[in-house]
């Protein structure tokens, strides 16, 4: 009986060994898959954050450009007003000069 028992044990061991190696590999595979899933999720989170930031940056750039345009428009309006005020001041000087001339003429006529 003893030799046949040994023979059975010997033929049984490789199958057990293969089964334990398969289990180890399956466990490793599951672990790697879990890591991969985790990294994939992280990557998608980063991508979403990047897309959001890109959108915010684009909005910021548009606002910045709008402000730049408003600043230029205001500068143009300011220059326009300065020119206008300058013309009014010139006109006032002319009026004062004419008034003074008129006043001198009136004085001369009265004498």
């Amino acid at each position: 009986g003893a030799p046949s028992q040994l023979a059975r044990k010997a033929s049984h061991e490789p199958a057990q060994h293969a089964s334990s190696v398969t289990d180890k590999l399956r466990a490793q595979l599951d672990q790697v898959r879990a890591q991969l899933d985790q990294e994939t999720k992280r990557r998608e989170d980063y991508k979403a954050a990047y897309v959001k930031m890109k959108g915010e940056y684009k909005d910021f750039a548009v606002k910045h450009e709008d402000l730049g345009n408003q600043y230029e428009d205001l500068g143009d309006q300011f220059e326009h007003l300065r020119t206008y005020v300058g013309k009014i001041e010139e006109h006032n000087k002319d009026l004062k000069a004419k008034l003074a001339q008129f006043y001198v003429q009136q004085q001369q006529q009265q004498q």
Side-chain angles (χ1 to χ4, degrees):
S4 65
Q5 205 176 0
L6 268 175
R8 256 204 321 264
K9 191 178 180 208
S11 70
H12 193 60
E13 271 182 347
Q16 244 185 344
H17 179 69
S19 160
S20 104
V21 167
T22 307
D23 289 347
K24 278 183 191 162
L25 285 175
R26 189 171 287 126
Q28 264 185 317
L29 187 65
D30 289 345
Q31 193 181 352
V32 170
R33 184 178 288 126
Q35 269 184 311
L36 181 65
D37 289 348
Q38 201 178 352
E39 289 302 317
T40 302
K41 191 190 177 315
R42 271 183 59 191
R43 183 170 175 224
E44 280 168 11
D45 290 348
Y46 279 132
K47 196 173 171 187
Y50 171 72
V51 167
K52 186 176 175 237
M53 288 286 287
K54 229 167 78 168
E56 285 172 7
Y57 176 76
K58 200 173 170 188
D59 291 347
F60 170 77
V62 168
K63 280 181 195 157
H64 186 265
E65 199 177 334
D66 285 348
L67 282 174
N69 292 338
Q70 283 179 34
Y71 180 77
E72 278 182 32
D73 289 349
L74 284 172
D76 292 346
Q77 287 176 30
F78 180 71
E79 278 306 308
H80 186 69
L81 280 173
R82 265 192 12 191
T83 304
Y84 187 66
V85 166
K87 284 178 183 170
I88 289 173
E89 284 172 349
E90 282 297 311
H91 189 61
N92 278 352
K93 269 192 217 164
D94 289 351
L95 283 178
K96 278 183 188 167
K98 282 178 184 163
L99 196 62
Q101 203 177 11
F102 177 74
Y103 183 70
V104 168
Q105 282 174 355
Q106 288 297 100
Q107 291 292 84
Q108 285 172 349
Q109 280 175 4
Q110 279 176 5
Q111 284 174 355

